Amino acid sequence: FYLTPPQVNSILKANEYSFKVPEFDGKNVSSVLGFDSNQLPANAPIEDRRSAATCLQTRGMLLGVFDGHAGCACAQAVSERLFYYIAVSLLPHETLLEIENAVESGRALLPILQWHKHPNDYFSKEASKLYFNSLRTYWQELIDLNSGETTDVKEALINAFKRLDNDISLEAQVGDPNSFLNYLVLRVAFSGATACVAHVDGVDLHVANTGDSRAMLGVQEEDGSWSAVNLSYDHNAQNEHEVERVKMEHPKSEEKSLVKQDRLLGLLMPFRAFGDVKFKWSIELQKRVVESGPDQLNDNEYTKFIPPNYHTPPYLTAEPEVIHHKLRPQDKFLVLATDGLWETMHRQDVARIVGEYLTGVHHQQPIAVGGYKVTLGQMHGLLTERRARISSVFEDQNAATHLIRHAVGNNEFGTVDHERLSKMLSLPEELARMYRDDITIIVVQFNSHVVGACQSEQ
């Protein structure tokens, strides 16, 4: 089944979103110029989520990608809720008091976040009251704990992740008299999600990561070439420190069963995640909740089984690893993406493709056909395509779309092959997942002038 270029484009562009930061918002000049984001599903429905918002009471901007597993319920809940928890964790004591007093007296609330959403990024309206009550309990505790110190961003991010995960677990244990909500909170808790979130404030960039999505900085070197700097580490079996951490947290007798076939307890790829209470709750608690839960829960195979060699839970945490980076004028952009991108592309290629796209400069590298026996016909094809690419390289108005086009359509020469792209995008749902994962990307562009100015002030 062959798709025409316009059909390919309409599939690739269906979930595009772009936001340009207003040059001067009355408060401060932002170090972020704007961002592009996009998603390409492989699962139906897609299990990835994305979020972006400006913090209205502090100065930062929040951006995040969330990769769900065992369904999309947990990723959906985290994408709606996490930024509120982060914003509340960052708010000064008097602002928290103002918000609490407003709720007490039924006055309008200070808005905390300005969301930048694609029309397809929905909110679950039914759960909003429940979510709000959990959040309110959190800020009430923060008010009571008031130490008078200003909050450290790293600490705020860690607290927010852990607290939201705790609330997801608690809501599922308590349940809800409304049967729809009861089933929802259980689905959220029993499914799981990884999260990679960036907070940008002036030259301070913090990345909080839980799981195996990634953050990467695109740096332009003095000679104009592009390089990639990792701002997160994958929490999986390929990360030796992570394997060691898990082993340290459990008795020596379990050493052999903790990580099997590169998975946690032989089942879970990421070693950190939200939800996934199958890897956190005691067996007694799991049984009690599933037995008293709605019938739909009992029909779900995932909730019934107990992981093998399950002796000393919790085996899983949502605590993020936080990396702080001071932006420099040569730091041009940040890419946040779920593992669907990194499985198909090396970070160095990602840096080059996005860098060339954003600057509009296509460094003509000599055609590399390393070790391939190339016929004249193929060589002619490559050159013709290169010429076409120079004229059409900017058919994408969105850097994330441009990257997805390469991730799905690249051939062995590193150029987009329309036929391959067409084949990959026309795979039926049940097959698509065998060839690739959901891909979600946010590309954040920095304002080098502002970054340079902030730097010299400091």
Side-chain angles (χ1 to χ4, degrees), residues 5 8 17 69 106 137 158 208 232 253 261 308 325 336 341 399 409 425 455:
V8 164
Y17 181 83
H69 44 266
T137 305
I158 293 172
S232 67
S253 55
Q261 286 145 345
H325 175 83
L336 298 172
L341 173 70
L425 293 179
Q455 210 181 26

Side-chain angles (χ1 to χ4, degrees), residues 102-215:
V103 178
E104 280 273 295
S105 57
R107 289 198 314 276
L109 278 190
L110 282 174
I112 298 177
L113 296 173
Q114 177 195 349
W115 290 93
H116 310 300
K117 298 187 88 56
H118 186 279
N120 298 355
D121 303 339
Y122 67 94
F123 268 84
S124 38
K125 292 191 180 58
E126 300 83 2
S128 56
K129 193 167 190 301
L130 170 76
Y131 290 171
F132 178 79
N133 290 338
S134 293
L135 182 69
R136 184 181 179 190
T137 305
Y138 178 42
W139 80 56
Q140 287 171 335
E141 284 173 29
L142 289 174
I143 291 172
D144 294 343
L145 287 171
N146 172 36
S147 55
E149 291 155 30
T150 48
T151 319
D152 169 62
V153 177
K154 179 176 177 177
E155 205 179 322
L157 287 163
I158 293 172
N159 293 343
F161 272 62
K162 285 163 70 174
R163 176 59 181 234
L164 173 56
D165 193 53
N166 199 43
D167 283 353
I168 285 172
S169 171
L170 203 61
E171 287 157 4
Q173 291 172 47
V174 173
D176 196 281
N178 171 327
S179 60
F180 173 83
L181 275 182
N182 196 32
Y183 184 44
L184 177 79
V185 294
L186 289 165
R187 266 190 26 229
V188 168
F190 276 95
S191 60
T194 69
C196 187
V197 170
H199 178 266
V200 195
D201 180 5
V203 290
D204 289 301
L205 168 60
H206 286 82
V207 172
N209 182 52
T210 287
D212 52 10
S213 290
R214 273 184 213 166

Side-chain angles (χ1 to χ4, degrees), residues 2-51:
Y2 192 74
L3 300 170
T4 63
Q7 287 173 316
V8 164
N9 281 346
S10 74
I11 293 172
L12 288 180
K13 293 169 186 267
N15 298 309
E16 274 187 343
Y17 181 83
S18 289
F19 177 74
K20 296 281 169 278
V21 173
E23 271 193 44
F24 188 72
D25 61 4
K27 267 196 301 191
N28 52 306
V29 184
S30 174
S31 56
V32 175
L33 278 171
F35 68 86
D36 290 339
S37 79
N38 200 351
Q39 295 187 297
L40 183 67
N43 292 296
I46 185 170
E47 295 185 344
D48 280 6
R49 292 293 184 270
R50 57 181 164 178
S51 294

Side-chain angles (χ1 to χ4, degrees), residues 380-412:
H380 175 71
L382 278 171
L383 288 165
T384 321
E385 194 199 350
R386 162 173 278 191
R387 201 165 60 235
R389 193 172 73 219
I390 293 166
S391 61
S392 77
V393 68
F394 304 117
E395 60 181 314
D396 290 322
Q397 304 297 303
N398 179 306
T401 308
H402 189 65
L403 204 43
I404 290 175
R405 191 183 295 276
H406 278 269
V408 180
N410 263 5
N411 59 16
E412 63 269 40

Side-chain angles (χ1 to χ4, degrees), residues 40-115:
L40 183 67
N43 292 296
I46 185 170
E47 295 185 344
D48 280 6
R49 292 293 184 270
R50 57 181 164 178
S51 294
T54 304
C55 300
L56 294 171
Q57 307 301 328
T58 59
R59 289 195 333 214
M61 189 167 200
L62 285 165
L63 305 113
V65 295
F66 311 94
D67 187 350
H69 44 266
C72 57
C74 188
Q76 176 61 40
V78 174
S79 73
E80 289 182 39
R81 304 177 68 183
L82 181 58
F83 287 7
Y84 283 112
Y85 280 72
I86 294 171
V88 162
S89 307
L90 286 167
L91 288 177
H93 185 248
E94 47 281 12
T95 313
L96 289 173
L97 276 175
E98 263 178 70
I99 293 174
E100 176 56 29
N101 291 335
V103 178
E104 280 273 295
S105 57
R107 289 198 314 276
L109 278 190
L110 282 174
I112 298 177
L113 296 173
Q114 177 195 349
W115 290 93

